[in-house]
Amino acid sequence: MIFGAQTSIRAKLAALAGFPVVGALLLALFVAHDARQRAASAAALGSIEDLARLTGYIADVLHAVQDERAVAAIVDGSGDGVRRSNGAGGGSQAAHDTSAAAERLEGFLSNRDRTKLPARLERGLVESEAALHGLAAVRSRVRQEVVPLQDILASYDAASTHLVGATAALAELSDDGAMLRNISATVALLELEERSSREQAIVGFASAHGEFPPGAYKALVTTVTEQGVYDEAFRTSASDDVRQEFEAA
């Protein structure tokens, strides 16, 4: 195995990171770019600043899901010994972080009239909530047994896909050209991060387990290829100053 069983889950996670996650603050910056100088508004949420905040809350949940997926994959690949020692603890903390981020998003939305949101956005939020609740089953399985890597990926992919879809649906809250461009850049960046996170989970499992399970290497190659596609999409849609912020981060 590449990593020893005594190495902490967080240390393994840090060692496997493909590139740093840019973070919700920068993603919110994309959407809020020049917001104070614009007269546009998102009526269903109350202000353009609220639109930026919602983007940040969704990104927070997405990043938590991505981190938890990587931890779950490493715990699962490490076997029963690590699961009983430091693996379960790392997984529990990651699950707690995901739940906390989801609660912050729900708290923000609870103060808004969701019936006025565009149907696509509301549907994305509802589907995201259902997928997040569904993570409880895979968490329980990982604590008790070795779970096929594809099952882990499928469960977390469902949550992340709906969260990215909800972010894309934010475009329906504004007709401002620069705002729409920044939302497109945000979605492309989230998709890019998602591929990096999925790569991290696959490599993490294989490193802890000692080998790639059937189909995992092919999935890894596909994921790495898709990273290039979304990187190009981000750089095409993002404005010059947003690209500069990204590269500086």
Side-chain angles (χ1 to χ4, degrees):
M1 294 185 183
I2 296 177
F3 296 104
Q6 299 305 314
T7 306
S8 72
I9 291 299
R10 292 191 180 278
K12 292 176 181 176
L13 197 55
L16 289 169
F19 61 84
V21 172
V22 175
L25 182 60
L26 185 56
L27 293 172
L29 172 65
F30 294 166
V31 180
H33 178 61
D34 288 339
R36 297 186 184 281
Q37 285 71 46
R38 300 183 187 281
S41 65
L45 293 173
S47 71
I48 201 166
E49 286 81 5
D50 277 352
L51 177 56
R53 289 176 63 198
L54 177 56
T55 306
Y57 281 123
I58 293 174
D60 275 344
V61 180
L62 178 60
H63 290 149
V65 168
Q66 291 170 341
D67 289 345
E68 185 184 344
R69 172 173 51 202
V71 171
I74 294 171
V75 171
D76 193 53
S78 297
D80 292 339
V82 173
R83 182 178 293 106
R84 287 193 297 269
S85 56
N86 62 4
S92 297
Q93 181 59 51
H96 172 78
D97 292 344
T98 300
S99 297
E103 288 174 4
R104 289 192 293 271
L105 172 59
E106 180 57 34
F108 174 83
L109 291 171
S110 66
N111 295 320
R112 275 78 184 169
D113 185 357
R114 292 179 60 160
T115 63
K116 295 181 179 179
L117 293 176
R120 181 185 169 199
L121 174 56
E122 174 61 11
R123 184 170 62 252
L125 292 170
V126 170
E127 291 172 342
S128 298
E129 291 166 357
L132 289 168
H133 286 305
L135 294 180
V138 75
R139 289 169 184 155
S140 178
R141 291 181 63 194
V142 169
R143 285 195 298 267
Q144 299 175 41
E145 60 182 304
V146 175
V147 180
L149 177 61
Q150 290 300 330
D151 289 2
I152 293 177
L153 295 179
S155 296
Y156 288 94
D157 287 358
S160 59
T161 296
H162 291 312
L163 288 164
V164 173
T167 305
L170 292 173
E172 299 185 18
L173 292 173
S174 175
D175 58 3
D176 181 87
M179 175 68 67
L180 295 175
R181 182 178 180 182
N182 282 324
I183 291 176
S184 295
T186 299
V187 172
L189 181 56
L190 289 176
E191 293 281 18
L192 175 59
E193 288 185 353
E194 174 62 13
R195 269 60 187 182
S196 179
S197 171
R198 192 178 300 167
E199 175 189 358
Q200 190 176 352
I202 295 171
V203 174
F205 179 95
S207 298
H209 189 62
E211 62 181 354
F212 285 97
Y217 188 76
K218 180 180 180 181
L220 178 63
V221 172
T222 300
T223 297
V224 171
T225 301
E226 290 175 349
Q227 286 184 31
V229 174
Y230 286 109
D231 180 71
E232 181 63 27
F234 165 70
R235 296 180 187 280
T236 298
S237 58
S239 60
D240 289 342
D241 50 352
V242 167
R243 281 199 304 273
Q244 291 169 4
E245 290 282 352
F246 172 76
E247 290 165 0

